[in-house]
Amino acid sequence: MPGNEVTILRIGHRPERDQRVTTHVGLTARALGAKGMYLAASDKGVVQSIDDVVSRWGGNFFCLDNVKWRSSIQDWKAQGGTVVHLTMYGLNLPDVIDDVRKCENVLVVVGAEKVPGEVFGLADFNVAVTSQPHSEISSLALFLDHFFSGQELRNEFSGSRIRIIPSKAGKQTEEM
Ligand SMILES: C[S@@+](CC[C@H](N)C(=O)[O-])C[C@H]1O[C@@H](n2cnc3c(N)ncnc32)[C@H](O)[C@@H]1O
């Protein structure tokens, strides 16, 4: 995937109820080729869970909490990056993915509770993964798979302490 980098911005996170889903947003992003996740809330529990996975399973995925969503988006654009907001109200993924793929530094914004209307205007692309309501995890997974054209499924994660030996049946792992 030369040149193509994707980073996630998770907004609307409520620590008392979204911890598990936000952690899964981060783990999905990591597994499917994103570079890291900014979290627009304070939640060291999410950061710790993701860092634990990275230290065991490898790669360089980062998770940073306490960012301000508005300035993160504005700074990203000021530095020449592209902002994609995943929303069921946007243009359908297959209709825009070729244009998004031409952009090298993509920040993908996913919400939790109701997303502020301002985000729609700040985004370069409002992208729907179908015009039906579902989840930030499923929409992010499909977006990343389309963005990377499925090649992310073959990614290797360097520096892992454990790795799975894919097997037809049973569980095989190797401690490094
Ligand atoms: C559970 S939804 C809540 C959305 C909220 N009710 C609203 O109106 O903004 C959480 C997030 O999942 C993502 N999402 C859900 N369905 C989607 C879809 N069909 N296409 C793209 N993103 C979607 C969006 O990023 C959304 O902010």
Side-chain angles (χ1 to χ4, degrees), residues 11-113:
I11 67 175
H13 171 84
R14 297 151 293 183
E16 65 288 354
R17 57 176 289 184
D18 293 326
Q19 223 180 34
R20 184 174 154 83
V21 173
T22 299
T23 301
H24 286 191
V25 167
L27 295 182
T28 299
R30 172 186 170 273
L32 299 182
K35 200 179 159 202
M37 178 173 78
Y38 295 113
L39 176 55
S42 173
D43 197 327
K44 296 295 175 225
V46 171
V47 175
Q48 183 68 56
S49 300
I50 291 173
D51 286 353
D52 284 350
V53 169
V54 173
S55 73
R56 202 162 147 71
W57 292 93
N60 298 309
F61 190 85
F62 73 84
C63 181
L64 186 66
D65 72 338
N66 253 326
V67 307
K68 303 253 181 281
W69 66 262
R70 189 181 288 105
S71 55
S72 297
I73 293 175
Q74 289 167 339
D75 291 352
W76 195 270
K77 291 176 69 170
Q79 286 165 27
T82 301
V83 175
V84 171
H85 170 217
L86 294 182
T87 166
M88 65 179 173
Y89 301 103
L91 299 177
N92 204 14
L93 180 66
D95 298 329
V96 292
I97 193 64
D98 289 342
D99 289 334
V100 178
R101 213 183 279 114
K102 290 175 191 151
C103 307
E104 294 197 344
N105 248 335
V106 174
L107 183 71
V108 178
V109 183
V110 293
E113 56 177 353

Side-chain angles (χ1 to χ4, degrees), residues 86-88 110-112 114-115 127-130 132-136 139:
L86 294 182
T87 166
M88 65 179 173
V110 293
K114 194 169 164 49
V115 171
V127 177
V129 182
T130 77
Q132 301 297 319
H134 47 100
S135 136
E136 47 276 54
S139 53

Side-chain angles (χ1 to χ4, degrees), residues 1 101 144-155:
M1 296 170 284
R101 213 183 279 114
L144 290 171
D145 187 58
H146 280 63
F147 184 83
F148 292 127
S149 307
Q151 293 306 305
E152 83 288 351
L153 298 176
R154 301 203 177 276
N155 282 352

